[in-house]
Amino acid sequence: METLLRTLLIILIAYYALKLIIKFATPYFLKYIQKKMGQRMEGFFGNMEQPQKQQEEGKITIDKVPSKNSKNSNVVGEYVDFEEID
């Protein structure tokens, strides 16, 4: 009987100790994860930034010239005239 009580007491103490450790360790663990994810995002999106060129005031530059071969793309299809049959 004594070993049963001793075992239950050890299990209860271990359970509450683990619960207490998790309660206090969780914020530090989440901060660590947040920091690592921030570094990953910074590495991923940091490469996408393009440096802006400083231009002289009043100078105009054109990055893309529109093509001259553009057709009217509003053509949907052929028109078919229907007649009613009695």
Side-chain angles (χ1 to χ4, degrees), residues 16-85:
Y16 283 111
L18 188 63
K19 193 173 176 182
L20 189 66
I21 289 170
I22 289 174
K23 181 179 179 179
F24 286 115
T26 302
Y28 296 110
F29 181 67
L30 290 177
K31 283 181 187 178
Y32 174 77
I33 290 175
Q34 182 182 13
K35 182 176 139 184
K36 286 295 183 181
M37 288 300 292
Q39 289 174 351
R40 282 187 184 176
M41 291 296 166
E42 187 176 306
F44 182 73
F45 289 112
N47 298 335
M48 291 186 174
E49 292 180 8
Q50 297 177 355
Q52 301 264 335
K53 295 180 182 177
Q54 294 291 338
Q55 295 182 0
E56 298 176 17
E57 187 173 336
K59 186 175 180 181
I60 299 173
T61 58
I62 299 174
D63 292 336
K64 181 182 175 189
V65 179
S67 64
K68 305 256 182 204
N69 298 333
S70 63
K71 289 184 176 180
N72 187 1
S73 63
N74 292 338
V75 177
V76 178
E78 293 183 29
Y79 178 75
V80 179
D81 190 21
F82 290 99
E83 293 182 17
E84 278 190 38
I85 299 176

Side-chain angles (χ1 to χ4, degrees), residues 1-14:
M1 186 70 168
E2 181 181 323
T3 57
L4 178 64
L5 290 175
R6 190 177 193 184
T7 306
L8 288 176
L9 184 65
I10 291 173
I11 290 173
L12 286 175
I13 289 174

